[in-house]
Structures are given as structure tokens and as C-alpha cells.
């Protein structure tokens, strides 16, 4: 195998590693944002659960005020019973008192229903709270991990950068430029082995002459279809 091809294969390994690192670095902010969005959803659910519980508590309070008002009205009417002038007035007063007591009973039934609902809502609220707490811990942990991973990947990328510079310095500039052009064009590999008589990059079948030339390794051979640099792998 030609020395320049050997050098380019090594350089390509570095470039592939570096490309994978850069892709992961580029993807980290998305993954972080996703974890934070999940947390914000859970916070929204907590607000909704709190609102539902508060709304129900306010409704209970309202019923209690209504009951208290009716009780005061009854007490007032009871105190008036000795002041009535005739039986008709007395019956009317008693009917009004009975009506107020019926209303109180109906309100008390509603209050019991609301109180039962309150317990259900409170339990749901506590559950969302607990879930949020564990989500907050997990998200904080995940964000720390993403940040640590980001720093580690950047260090690795920097290491590869200087390793690449060292390797590239030993390669003839024309070949290096050609390698980089092919790599940029295809986005994956510029130097590929011949595999089952076909190009290892585009997988098109190569002519016997091309294969023969690559085996002889006296000059650089390119794939006639994709332009990648070919080498023979024993
Ligand atoms: Zn090809």
C-alpha cells in the first residue's frame, strides 16, 4: 500500500472520530432542552393540580358561609315567633324556617361531596409534587451529566485536532487537499478498500484493470464512479 494512502487512512480515522464527537457535541443542547421541557410540563401539571384543589377549597368555604348566613336567618326568625300577630303569620314564619333548614341540609350534602373531592384532589396534588421532586433531581443530574459529557467531548475533540494537525503536516499538500475535497463531497470516507471487486464507498463493481492497478500499488487509483481513493486490502 502506498505510504500516502496509509497516511490518509490514518488521517481519515481521526476525521471520522472527530466527526462523531462534533455530532454528539452538537446534539447535546437538544437533549438538554428536551429534559428541561419535560420538567416544565410537570411544573405545569403541579400548577393545574394546585388550582383544582384551591378552587374546591374555595367552593367549600362558600358553602360554609351560605350555611352560616341561613343559620343566622333561622335564629332571627325564631326570635320573631313570639312577636307574630296571628296564626297565618306564625305558619308563614315556620314554613320559612323549615325552608331554610332544607336549604342547609342540601348545602351540607354538597359540602360533604366537595370534601371527599378535596381528599382526592389533595392526594393527586401530593403525587404530582413527589413526581416533580424526583423529576427535578433527575433533570439536575442529567444536566450535570450533559455538561460533563460536553466538556469531555470538547477535550477529546481538541486532542484529535492537534493529532490531526501533526498527521496532516506529513502528507503531501496536493493529496491532502484532494482527500479533503472528496471527504467533503461524500461526507463519510475519501479512502476506501476494494471489497469483493467493488468500491468500498459506492459499492460499484470495479474494472479488472482498476483492481490490478490498486493491487500493484504503484500509483493512486480512484473509483471511476465516485472518485474515492482505492486501496487493496490483503
Ligand atoms: Zn466508488
Amino acid at each position: 500500500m502506498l505510504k500516502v494512502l496509509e497516511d490518509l487512512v490514518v488521517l481519515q480515522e481521526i476525521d471520522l472520530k472527530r466527526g462523531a464527537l462534533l455530532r454528539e457535541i452538537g446534539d447535546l443542547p437538544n437533549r438538554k432542552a428536551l429534559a428541561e421541557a419535560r420538567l416544565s410540563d410537570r411544573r405545569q401539571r403541579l400548577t393545574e393540580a394546585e388550582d383544582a384543589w384551591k378552587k374546591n377549597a374555595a367552593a367549600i368555604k362558600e358553602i360554609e358561609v351560605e350555611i352560616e348566613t341561613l343559620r343566622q336567618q333561622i335564629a332571627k326568625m325564631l326570635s320573631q315567633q313570639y312577636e307574630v300577630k296571628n296564626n297565618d303569620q306564625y305558619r308563614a314564619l315556620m314554613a320559612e324556617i323549615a325552608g331554610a333548614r332544607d336549604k342547609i341540609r342540601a348545602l351540607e350534602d354538597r359540602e360533604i361531596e366537595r370534601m371527599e373531592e378535596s381528599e382526592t384532589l389533595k392526594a393527586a396534588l401530593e403525587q404530582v409534587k413527589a413526581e416533580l421532586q424526583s423529576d427535578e433531581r433527575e433533570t439536575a443530574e442529567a444536566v450535570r451529566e450533559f455538561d460533563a459529557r460536553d466538556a469531555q467531548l470538547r477535550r477529546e475533540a481538541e486532542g484529535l485536532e492537534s493529532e490531526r494537525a501533526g498527521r496532516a503536516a506529513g502528507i503531501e499538500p496536493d493529496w491532502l487537499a484532494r482527500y479533503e475535497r472528496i471527504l467533503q463531497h461524500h461526507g463519510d470516507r475519501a479512502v476506501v478498500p476494494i471489497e469483493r471487486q467493488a468500491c468500498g464507498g459506492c459499492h460499484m463493481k470495479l474494472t479488472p484493470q482498476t483492481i490490478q492497478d490498486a493491487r500493484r500499488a504503484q500509483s493512486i487509483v480512484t473509483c471511476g464512479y465516485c472518485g474515492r481513493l482505492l486501496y487493496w486490502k490483503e
Side-chain angles (χ1 to χ4, degrees):
M1 186 165 160
L2 284 170
K3 168 84 168 64
V4 66
L5 280 181
E6 274 176 25
D7 290 346
L8 285 174
V9 167
V10 172
L11 192 73
Q12 180 168 262
E13 283 309 308
I14 296 172
D15 281 341
L16 289 174
K17 262 194 242 168
R18 192 179 59 154
L21 283 181
L22 294 180
R23 271 194 301 280
E24 198 182 338
I25 289 171
D27 197 36
L28 280 176
N30 294 334
R31 290 167 66 196
K32 211 166 138 176
L34 212 66
E36 279 161 353
R38 265 201 303 271
L39 192 60
S40 141
D41 278 355
R42 187 80 82 182
R43 287 206 181 101
Q44 179 61 33
R45 278 172 55 197
L46 179 65
T47 307
E48 284 163 10
E50 272 170 349
D51 286 351
W53 184 74
K54 277 186 202 157
K55 214 172 143 189
N56 195 58
I60 292 172
K61 185 80 204 153
E62 217 171 278
I63 291 170
E64 280 170 356
V65 169
E66 273 182 69
I67 291 173
E68 187 49 37
T69 306
L70 286 166
R71 282 199 180 120
Q72 281 168 10
Q73 283 170 4
I74 291 170
K76 199 177 163 199
M77 287 188 279
L78 283 173
S79 72
Q80 287 168 348
Q81 66 179 311
Y82 304 108
E83 295 159 21
V84 295
K85 304 277 184 284
N86 53 52
N87 279 345
D88 284 348
Q89 275 183 0
Y90 183 78
R91 271 196 294 275
L93 188 65
M94 286 303 119
E96 214 178 320
I97 290 171
R101 283 185 173 141
D102 283 346
K103 275 187 198 163
I104 288 176
R105 269 191 295 278
L107 284 167
E108 280 171 346
D109 286 346
R110 260 168 60 198
E111 190 182 10
I112 288 168
E113 280 169 24
R114 285 282 189 182
M115 280 172 160
E116 280 166 0
E117 204 184 331
S118 188
E119 275 173 40
T120 310
L121 290 170
K122 187 78 184 166
L125 175 60
E126 292 305 324
Q127 197 190 334
V128 176
K129 244 187 220 172
E131 282 167 356
L132 177 63
Q133 274 175 358
S134 97
D135 270 10
E136 274 171 342
R137 274 195 304 273
E138 278 170 25
T139 305
E141 178 68 21
V143 166
R144 270 197 299 279
E145 273 171 26
F146 285 142
D147 290 344
R149 181 83 184 134
D150 185 69
Q152 187 205 334
L153 291 172
R154 282 175 197 281
R155 275 195 303 275
E156 282 177 31
E158 267 173 40
L160 286 174
E161 210 70 61
S162 63
E163 194 186 340
R164 187 191 197 277
R167 291 279 178 184
I171 299 170
E172 217 246 300
D174 281 354
W175 282 115
L176 184 63
R178 190 161 170 191
Y179 160 83
E180 279 169 352
R181 268 202 310 279
I182 301 170
L183 191 65
Q184 204 171 14
H185 179 69
H186 289 293
D188 49 12
R189 281 163 194 269
V191 194
V192 293
I194 294 171
E195 286 167 347
R196 280 180 246 112
Q197 296 173 330
C199 165
C202 69
H203 308 294
M204 293 296 281
K205 206 159 171 60
L206 299 163
T207 64
Q209 185 64 52
T210 305
I211 296 167
Q212 183 71 358
D213 290 347
R215 282 188 86 156
R216 222 180 276 137
Q218 278 166 350
S219 60
I220 287 184
V221 177
T222 57
C223 169
Y225 303 98
C226 68
R228 288 184 178 91
L229 311 178
L230 298 167
Y231 64 89
W232 179 258
K233 206 166 71 178
E234 288 302 332

